[in-house]
Amino acid sequence: MTENAQQQPTAPSTELPTQYAPAEVEGKLYERWVERGYFEADATSEKPPYTVVIPPPNVTGSLHLGHAFEHTLIDALTRRKRMQGYETLWQPGMDHAGIATQNVVERELAKEGKSRHDLGREAFVERVWQWKAESGGQISGQMRRLGDGVAWSRERFTMDEGLSQAVQTIFKRLYDDELIYRAERIINWCPRCLTAISDIEVDYQDDDGELVSMKYGEGEETIVVATTRAETMLGDTAVAVHPEDERYKNLVGKRIKLPLTDRSIPVVADEHVDPEFGTGAVKVTPAHDPNDFEIGRRHDLPSLTVMDEHAVITAHGPFQGLDRLEARSAIVAALRAEGRIVAEKRPYVHSVGHCSRCRTTIEPRLSMQWWVKVGPLAKAAGDAVRDGRVKIHPQEMEKRYFDWVDNLHDWCISRQLWWGHRIPVWYGPNGEVVCVGPDEEPPSGEGWRQDSDVLDTWFSSGLWPFSTLGWPEQTGSLAKFYPNSVLVTGYDLLFFWIARMMMFGLYAMDGAPPFRTIALHGMVRDQNGKKMSKSFGNVINPLDWMDKYGSDALRFTLARGANPGVDVPIGEDWVQGSRNFANKIWNATRFALMNGATVQGPLPDASEMSSTDRWILSRLNSVVAEVDAHYEDYQFAKVSDALFHFAWDEVFDWYVELSKTTFQAGGEAAKVSGRVLGEVLDVTLRLLHPIVPFVTETLWTTLTGGESVVIAQWPEDSGFRDAAAEREIETLQQVITEVRRFRADQGLQPGQRVPARLTLDGTALAPHEAAIRQLLRLTPQGESFTATATLPVSGAEVALDLSGTIDVAAERKRLAKDLAGAEKEKAQATAKLGNEAFLAKAPEPVVDKIRGRLAKAEEDITRLRAQLDKLPQA
């Protein structure tokens, strides 16, 4: 543990500014780290690899608290592994974010009075690239502010040339293996963005709508169905009931009249229908509902599309040309006029899907799209976790993973956009379909055209763990750094991004999974546990807190709340507390440097150390082991708490304070303690560095003279333990804590000096008399010393003369008055709780409040009697 760096240290400095100013050091330190190449990764190195990919932020995005949280955790892992001697790669990059980016540029065009159609496809795509060069990627600068130790020279973009080649390669392979196909299916459609969107891009929220029950058929052959989307009834091609529903046995197989049309539709029996819900009968619109589409396939029903891509009614008749919401009202009015409305419920609150980009209500729509046949790919993704090749942490998340991959539907991968990877399929004049690989020439000639759609953004980001390393080329980086060591991401991406990476990685890399461990974290919430949302007004810009308190303070707060898979509440006062911790580290190190703390030379032999020295070194090694164990279990909150309490409570509040008398006395003992304190600070700063990199870099280089803590050696547990010293100092702490509590109870000021007699002979505390007196502000007893209060603690005795500091008679009178008040409160509360009539009528919160008053009164009585017992008789 005495080896503190991988480089030769220069003579350490004892000079530190009186105050830590994060804004003055953070930017300079980060640029120095980058210039010196500390974060770069060498594929030819013989060191063991450690690889993590950044969940690629959108090129349109900026740093939010979720990013800051996730990046803090990844940075802590990679900084520690780098210090442990691994060839560490934290792979950076950004996602082209198809819909989001296209929307941004379209809004810019709209300010000029133009649309993308005015420019045409090629010119529009060129305009997007121009926007990306000028305005995209501001998050990169913000990542530097946070201290992200990524390999910037390896930064990738999902639309760059290499990744585009990877996308075309895997599309071609999947197509040739018949795992990609084109078919007409129901998809999520955004009438504003005019594209299919993935499930992850649909946000569900409770909206006020209407539930309309309407009567189909005539006479005895009528049936009532209910819907929140009356406009889709124009595309109904059946009514479905459960096969065992006796109410409708006579209607199954018959045809009934569909109102407002000249069509009749069959009544079919299907087990999908819940006979207990509503009337037990449902309208079936195969072209506009995913469940209805499946019913339609089972019963060979026609699919009638009655809305266009703008959600405007196309069905011939009086509603043609109406927007879907206009048509909904018009159709309900028409049905009401015919006497077919049985019931109407308004408002009817129900879950409605909205486009996450533009907030438009999505429309299920039958559409010709490209699909991935996920069956065999999803099975492989499930098997990799089941057989232990991939670990999910925390383990309880495995069930959610299996629930998803074991029931995965085929994946719609085409999007009706212009920005993205264009589908590499060409259509010929005679119905030919040709899929083209990256090294193949596309067919040309009259009548040939490329598919106009682009691929879902998740398709390219699913290749991220290996495409960023040069795949499909067999590069040195791919050989060195694949599979990734760990994926750190939110549990909300378990079903979407993670599943796609698992499927593609196993498929493309011959059964080698993309990562060995999936470490899932929760979402950042406000201090009340509420989801952050602009509509709630509780969204926090992490840059504001970094400006105000420093990046280390934000990072430490986030890490301290990071329990695996659990959401993280955060408030500004917590960041203030972390800022105070950074200041405490600074001030304590500065004091230590001015009082002889050093890393020069070997540690003294244990026989030369005081019990205080041996205690702190024993505790230090225990903390090293504890921190390592928590890191291996991805318990960032426990790592942070262990380091916080060790640094603040044990090192700064106890060891430094206990050593002050030694330093003041000078001599050999002071030199020994100075070397021990230097060792403790060196190791503690290295342990803290992955989470709070900036303040620790400044302090560690000042203390040790080393080049940088970024490349220092990670501390190891030397095995040194001294149980006897730990028991001795624990006893010392009990004595000091008990006397401090008594002083506070008597109203003494912290700095007020009190004459005292210490009886320590025969105890392990005898060598600590000077420290006890200094910490407790106890002066030696004089000739006129009178023990007015005696405290027996842990085998020792502390006698205090309070005659010159407090009026004992007045203090006894005050305490007696307070005791009488507490006893009266106890009697009143006891009486009320013993009154059966009161308990029968009083609300539970009132009763709970009285129980609380009783508990508080009993606690006060115990405390006040103890204080009175310790005071002399007046």
Side-chain angles (χ1 to χ4, degrees), residues 430-693:
N430 299 311
E432 302 96 332
V433 179
V434 178
C435 181
V436 178
D439 299 322
E440 300 172 349
E441 286 293 325
S444 58
E446 187 176 351
W448 283 94
R449 61 179 180 84
Q450 185 178 359
D451 195 300
S452 60
D453 288 352
V454 300
L455 287 164
D456 178 11
T457 298
W458 296 101
F459 191 95
S460 53
S461 61
L463 314 181
W464 193 247
F466 52 93
S467 64
T468 51
L469 298 173
W471 187 91
E473 302 298 325
Q474 297 304 305
T475 64
S477 290
L478 190 64
K480 177 74 174 179
F481 296 114
Y482 187 92
N484 288 195
S485 305
V486 62
L487 174 74
V488 180
T489 192
Y491 61 70
D492 57 322
L493 292 182
L494 183 63
F495 315 132
F496 305 104
W497 187 45
I498 296 173
R500 281 139 175 69
M501 286 190 291
M502 287 286 284
M503 291 190 296
F504 281 167
L506 291 160
Y507 173 80
M509 298 300 294
D510 300 320
F515 17 74
R516 295 186 176 91
T517 299
I518 301 168
L520 299 171
H521 59 73
M523 304 295 104
V524 179
R525 297 180 177 272
D526 72 12
Q527 61 187 1
N528 299 312
K530 194 172 184 179
K531 180 181 178 180
M532 289 191 181
S533 166
K534 290 180 181 178
S535 60
F536 296 154
N538 62 349
V539 173
I540 296 159
N541 183 348
L543 296 174
D544 293 340
W545 281 353
M546 287 192 281
D547 289 341
K548 196 170 182 180
Y549 304 110
S551 298
D552 285 333
L554 175 64
R555 289 171 61 116
F556 192 77
T557 304
L558 292 167
R560 203 171 180 193
N563 293 295
V566 178
D567 288 346
V568 183
I570 184 172
E572 185 168 3
D573 54 336
W574 303 339
V575 187
Q576 291 174 355
S578 296
R579 186 269 315 275
N580 295 343
F581 179 50
N583 289 341
K584 182 78 170 181
I585 301 169
W586 182 274
N587 293 332
T589 304
R590 185 171 178 271
F591 170 85
L593 286 168
M594 291 189 297
N595 285 273
T598 179
V599 298
Q600 301 303 301
L603 270 177
D605 188 78
S607 61
E608 302 175 47
M609 298 180 191
S610 68
S611 57
T612 309
D613 295 332
R614 297 195 304 275
W615 160 71
I616 198 63
L617 287 177
S618 181
R619 287 293 304 126
L620 178 66
N621 278 282
S622 295
V623 169
V624 170
E626 183 182 357
V627 166
D628 275 335
H630 290 326
Y631 262 121
E632 294 305 314
D633 199 32
Y634 303 99
Q635 298 280 359
F636 298 97
K638 291 182 179 179
V639 168
S640 305
D641 265 351
L643 290 172
F644 175 87
H645 290 296
F646 175 70
W648 192 310
D649 300 344
E650 298 185 81
V651 179
F652 305 146
D653 280 358
W654 283 109
Y655 181 71
V656 168
E657 293 298 319
L658 289 171
S659 301
K660 282 182 178 179
T661 53
T662 304
F663 291 138
Q664 290 167 0
E668 195 59 34
K671 291 181 181 179
V672 170
S673 291
R675 180 64 188 89
V676 170
L677 180 54
E679 181 75 7
V680 172
L681 287 174
D682 167 26
V683 174
T684 302
L685 290 170
R686 282 187 276 151
L687 290 173
L688 281 165
H689 173 72
I691 299 175
V692 285

Side-chain angles (χ1 to χ4, degrees), residues 174 178-181 185 370-382 404-413 459 495-496 499-500 502-504 507:
L174 289 165
E178 298 183 349
L179 292 173
I180 282 183
Y181 64 94
R185 299 278 179 83
W370 285 95
W371 304 80
V372 172
K373 186 186 295 183
V374 300
L377 302 174
K379 182 181 184 304
W404 179 256
V405 297
D406 293 347
N407 299 285
L408 204 55
H409 299 296
D410 285 1
W411 170 22
C412 176
I413 56 172
F459 191 95
F495 315 132
F496 305 104
R500 281 139 175 69
M502 287 286 284
M503 291 190 296
F504 281 167
Y507 173 80

Side-chain angles (χ1 to χ4, degrees), residues 252-272:
V252 174
K254 293 184 177 181
R255 300 184 70 86
I256 60 175
K257 177 177 173 53
L258 179 65
L260 307 183
T261 72
D262 56 2
R263 293 189 293 115
S264 64
I265 57 176
V267 177
V268 300
D270 194 279
E271 291 188 351
H272 170 76

